[in-house]
Amino acid sequence: MSSAFEVLTTKSLSGDVVSMAWCPKMDLIALVTSDSQLMVHRPAKWQRLFAHTGFDHPVTCLGWRPDGQILAVGHANGSISLFGVEEGEQLG
């Protein structure tokens, strides 16, 4: 029996991945590691667009705006951080 999927590459990160989300419009993936490091990459060449660390509360979930321009990061205390994907800056 053949597999429908094939491993194309393997990457090591600074910690275990606890959450990830594919961008609905662009070739981007957002990852959060167990040490609450947020990273956004282009998977084809594993190009890092931006990374953010130093959150006050652990990250519990990720979600993309439908147009892929903003990434919402949910935290354990119920707060949400928003990041603009173009510049990688925290919007609020």
Side-chain angles (χ1 to χ4, degrees):
M1 176 176 239
S2 66
S3 173
F5 294 98
E6 176 184 341
V7 176
L8 299 176
T9 187
T10 303
K11 297 292 179 185
S12 296
L13 300 172
S14 62
D16 294 335
V17 175
V18 295
S19 187
M20 63 180 263
W22 286 98
C23 180
K25 293 289 183 184
M26 295 179 275
D27 186 24
L28 301 175
I29 186 168
L31 304 164
V32 176
T33 58
S34 56
D35 58 356
S36 288
Q37 180 179 6
L38 168 68
M39 296 171 278
V40 175
H41 287 270
R42 290 193 187 283
K45 295 183 180 178
W46 206 247
Q47 173 192 12
R48 183 185 295 186
L49 269 65
F50 69 89
H52 184 82
T53 58
F55 292 111
D56 292 336
H57 301 281
V59 175
T60 57
C61 61
L62 298 169
W64 290 93
R65 193 168 77 175
D67 67 3
Q69 295 297 312
I70 294 179
L71 176 66
V73 179
H75 301 279
N77 70 340
S79 65
I80 297 172
S81 302
L82 301 175
F83 288 87
V85 176
E86 295 290 325
E87 303 296 325
E89 66 183 41
Q90 189 169 350
L91 304 174

